[in-house]
Structure formats: C-alpha cells, structure tokens
Amino acid sequence: MIKFFLMVNKQGQTRLSRYYEHVDINKRTILEAEVIKNCLSRSKDQCSFIEYKDFKLVYRQYAALFVVVGINETENEMAVYELIHNFVEVLDKYFSRVIMFNLDRVHIILDEMVLNGCIVETNRNRILAPLFVLDKVAES
C-alpha cells in the first residue's frame, strides 16, 4: 500500500504531497524533511529504493524534480517505480510545460491513478478523460 506521494524540487521544497494514512501536520514536515534529505543526498548511481523506518521509499528524478513514494513492505517496488514513470508521462501528455500553476489538475491526475493508497488506474486515456471533460466545460 502507498503511504504517501511527494513531488519535490532540487532545493528540497515540496511541490505536491498526498498522504493516504493520517499523519499529524507536525510529523509530516519532519517526515518530508528527512525523506527529502535521504533522496537528494543519493547519487544517480545508487538504487532508487530506500528502506526507511517502517516503510520503503521509491523515488525517481526527472530534471529538477523528484517524485518520492512511501510504501509499506508488502508493496512491489518495481510496480511503484513504474507508477511514478507513468504519472510523469501523464503529466507530460496533459501539460505542455508548466505544471506548478495547475496543481489542482495534478491532484486530479493522481487521484485517478491512486485511490486509498492502491494503484487503481494506469491507462493514460482513462486517467485524462475527466480532465478533458473539465476543460470542455471550462471552455463553454
């Protein structure tokens, strides 16, 4: 099961966070700081899977953006690694360039892919269908 999903820039600033288990706000900031520090300090030659406390971190770097997913010990790391790549490909397909001004859309995409910490959809067309409907309504 996925515990949390983070998008972080190279400066360590969280750009998006979604938690699938309740974590107190104070603990979230501490958790994010430690997780970001662990991922940013690793070289590109090192594995993208990290055992951290009572869960695992799976991360991928895309240019200046890191996508970090916290999972429990029963989740398949490679499936989550591919989920991250699929998520970024969906973002790339929907947005031409700037995604940080459209975080509501990014949350919709993530919600279409992950529900209650479980991967529920990977088909790009099905993931983007609700956004295309919203875009048509907005144009009208």
Side-chain angles (χ1 to χ4, degrees):
M1 183 177 146
I2 295 172
K3 294 182 173 224
F4 59 85
F5 194 101
L6 303 173
M7 287 177 62
V8 181
N9 67 14
K10 269 192 171 177
Q11 289 75 37
Q13 299 167 320
T14 303
R15 295 297 179 198
L16 174 133
S17 67
R18 169 76 83 210
Y19 287 83
Y20 298 100
E21 292 181 344
H22 175 74
V23 179
D24 187 52
I25 286 289
N26 296 332
K27 290 183 181 178
R28 281 186 188 190
T29 55
I30 294 167
L31 173 71
E32 287 177 20
E34 291 174 357
V35 164
I36 291 165
K37 181 181 163 196
N38 276 329
C39 292
L40 291 178
S41 66
R42 295 173 66 88
S43 73
K44 290 186 178 188
D45 298 330
Q46 290 179 298
C47 180
S48 294
F49 310 140
I50 306 170
E51 290 198 20
Y52 177 77
K53 295 189 178 179
D54 62 334
F55 53 89
K56 298 176 191 174
L57 301 174
V58 178
Y59 73 95
R60 252 181 129 151
Q61 181 181 359
Y62 294 91
L65 193 68
F66 283 82
V67 180
V68 184
V69 180
I71 60 173
N72 64 11
E73 60 281 341
T74 61
E75 188 71 45
N76 183 330
E77 295 97 339
M78 285 305 293
V80 174
Y81 192 72
E82 285 302 312
L83 170 75
I84 294 170
H85 186 68
N86 192 35
F87 175 71
V88 171
E89 284 184 338
V90 170
L91 292 178
D92 191 45
K93 184 175 179 180
Y94 184 73
F95 299 104
S96 56
R97 279 270 176 217
V98 181
I99 64 170
M100 290 304 126
F101 300 120
N102 299 296
L103 281 177
D104 59 326
R105 306 290 187 184
V106 177
H107 278 278
I108 292 170
I109 291 170
L110 185 56
D111 290 343
E112 288 295 318
M113 297 178 78
V114 180
L115 178 66
N116 292 331
C118 298
I119 301 168
V120 292
E121 187 61 72
T122 58
N123 182 294
R124 290 181 195 106
N125 294 327
R126 287 191 208 139
I127 293 166
L128 291 174
L131 287 170
F132 292 144
V133 170
L134 284 173
D135 291 344
K136 282 185 182 179
V137 169
E139 289 173 4
S140 309

